[in-house]
Amino acid sequence: MQAMKSGLNVALLLTAAALAHTASGAVILDIDGSGKLTGARNVDVLGTLYDVAFVDGTCGVAFAGCDSVFDFAFPSNVPGATAAGQALLDTVFIDSAAGMFDSAPNLVAGCGDSFVCMALIPTNIAFDVVFGYDAVNFGQGIGDLVSTFNPVAIAGDLSTVARQVWAVFTPAAPAPVPEPTTVALFAAGLAGFWLGGRRRRGAG
C-alpha cells in the first residue's frame, strides 16, 4: 500500500512540475531570415512574462502614438523598467547557438553598431521628450549595464541612430491549457493504477 501511495505521489508531483514548466515557459528568441534578433517571447520581468519587440522609428510609431505614459509597459515604474533591461541582458542579448547577440550587438534588429546596442525602455514623457531606461549591450566582452537614457524627442527617429532601438514590452499570452481529454485520460490512468494495486492486495 505504501509503495502504491508513493508511486501515485511521484506521478502527481511530476505532472505538477511539467504543467508549471509549461506555464512559465522558456525565453524564445525571434530571429529573422537574415539572422537579426527582432525580439523575444516569455521574458521574465519580476515574475511576469512579457514578449518584447525591437522597433526602429519614432516613439509614436513604436508606442501607439506615444502621447501617454500608459502607452508604455512600465509607466513611471523604475523597478519594472530596470528589471526589464536586466532581463534583456541576462536572457536575450546573449551568445548562443542561435546567434552571438552579446558579442555582436549589430545583430540586434535596429542596431547597426558593432560596439554597442542600447534598447530603450521608456517610462515617462515630459515637454515632448521621452525618458526611461536602457539595456546597454556592449560587444567585445565589455560589461553590459542598465542605465537611464538621455531624453529622446517624441518625434525623434531612432532609425537614423545606429546605436539605439525601442524595446516594446507587452504581456505574454497565457500558456495553453492542456486539453480536457488529455487531463481526463491521465487521471483515468492514475485511478486504474491505484485500483489495480488495491485489487492485487485484496486477492493476496
Side-chain angles (χ1 to χ4, degrees):
M1 178 66 174
Q2 188 61 35
M4 292 300 298
K5 283 185 178 177
S6 295
L8 185 60
N9 287 339
V10 168
L12 290 173
L13 286 172
L14 288 173
T15 303
L19 290 174
H21 177 73
T22 300
S24 64
V27 173
I28 300 168
L29 302 181
D30 294 326
I31 303 168
D32 68 15
S34 64
K36 291 272 192 175
L37 179 66
T38 61
R41 286 168 280 161
N42 297 328
V43 178
D44 189 329
V45 180
L46 300 177
T48 300
L49 297 182
Y50 289 86
D51 295 339
V52 61
F54 304 121
V55 180
D56 245 340
T58 66
C59 183
V61 167
F63 296 98
C66 193
D67 50 11
S68 165
V69 295
F70 297 106
D71 291 335
F72 309 141
F74 309 101
S76 305
N77 183 342
V78 173
T82 54
Q86 193 61 52
L88 289 180
L89 297 177
D90 292 342
T91 64
V92 179
F93 296 153
I94 58 175
D95 290 345
S96 69
M100 304 299 283
F101 303 119
D102 186 19
S103 297
N106 56 314
L107 291 179
V108 177
C111 285
D113 191 301
S114 60
F115 177 69
V116 65
C117 177
M118 294 179 278
L120 277 55
I121 305 163
T123 57
N124 282 298
I125 303 172
F127 306 108
D128 292 327
V129 295
V130 183
F131 301 84
Y133 296 81
D134 60 3
V136 184
N137 180 31
F138 286 108
Q140 313 305 321
I142 299 172
D144 301 333
L145 58 95
V146 177
S147 70
T148 56
F149 62 72
N150 291 326
V152 175
I154 288 177
D157 188 351
L158 293 191
S159 62
T160 65
V161 183
R163 293 184 168 188
Q164 293 180 320
V165 66
W166 299 109
V168 182
F169 282 82
T170 54
V177 177
E179 291 288 334
T181 52
T182 304
V183 175
L185 284 171
F186 183 76
L190 284 178
F193 181 69
W194 183 74
L195 287 172
R198 285 181 57 104
R199 285 189 186 128
R200 281 194 298 275
R201 203 176 57 256

